[in-house]
Amino acid sequence: MTKRWVGIVVSGDKVIVVDAEVPDAGQLVLQNDDTWKMQGGDRAAAYNVIGQQCRDYLRANGVTKVLIKASAVSLGGTKIGHLRSAELRGVIKGAAASVCEVKEFSKAALSRNFGDRKVDEYAKDDAFWMTHFTGEELRVGSREAAIMLLAESGRNE
């Protein structure tokens, strides 16, 4: 049975969204590869708007699972940008959890447990993505969100 899942990576004031149909076997069918940007002005109001955008999108498209890239440890000390990304990630996680199942993946765990290469190496490999996805074209900057879909579906190369 085909499922509808979304992979999400939050960075700064942006949310990268990769939406795919996930059949029991074969290629994932990319439905959407988009970036949602937070509106300017009051952050609380902007969080409300992007949270509602997330809920509306997931409901309208029948999404049953959201996979979110987890926060990473900052070796150079925590800066305000890192904290704001974490705030936005929390807003998106909460909004998604009000609609469907939510699961987090760390990049380090993906690099250890997915295939035989690190996530960044997969991200650079155009041929890899063409063999795993069909439908719309997947943007290079969206591949971290997409690899979570592959890992969760058991397609570990």
Side-chain angles (χ1 to χ4, degrees), residues 37-91:
K37 294 181 182 155
M38 261 183 51
Q39 68 183 29
D42 180 61
R43 290 190 74 79
Y47 288 146
N48 181 51
V49 169
I50 203 162
Q52 190 61 52
Q53 179 181 3
C54 178
R55 283 186 292 278
D56 290 348
Y57 182 87
L58 298 175
R59 279 191 191 111
N61 291 287
V63 174
T64 59
K65 189 181 287 188
V66 170
L67 310 166
I68 298 178
K69 181 181 169 192
S71 293
V73 176
S74 177
L75 298 176
T78 304
K79 296 188 168 79
I80 192 69
H82 191 79
L83 294 173
R84 287 192 171 154
S85 289
E87 285 177 347
L88 180 54
R89 188 174 300 103
V91 167

Side-chain angles (χ1 to χ4, degrees), residues 75-125:
L75 298 176
T78 304
K79 296 188 168 79
I80 192 69
H82 191 79
L83 294 173
R84 287 192 171 154
S85 289
E87 285 177 347
L88 180 54
R89 188 174 300 103
V91 167
I92 295 298
K93 280 195 300 192
S98 73
V99 177
C100 62
E101 179 184 352
V102 175
K103 185 173 179 180
E104 278 190 302
F105 281 86
S106 74
K107 186 174 180 179
L110 280 170
S111 286
R112 279 192 309 274
N113 302 319
F114 183 85
D116 58 357
R117 298 183 276 171
K118 295 193 179 299
V119 170
D120 290 339
E121 293 170 14
Y122 283 109
K124 295 174 187 172
D125 184 352

Side-chain angles (χ1 to χ4, degrees), residues 7-44:
I8 292 178
V9 174
V10 176
S11 178
D13 288 347
K14 299 182 310 186
V15 180
I16 296 170
V17 179
V18 174
D19 176 358
E21 288 182 358
V22 183
D24 291 334
Q27 292 181 309
L28 276 61
V29 182
L30 186 63
Q31 298 297 309
N32 191 20
D33 177 3
D34 198 7
T35 300
W36 300 336
K37 294 181 182 155
M38 261 183 51
Q39 68 183 29
D42 180 61
R43 290 190 74 79

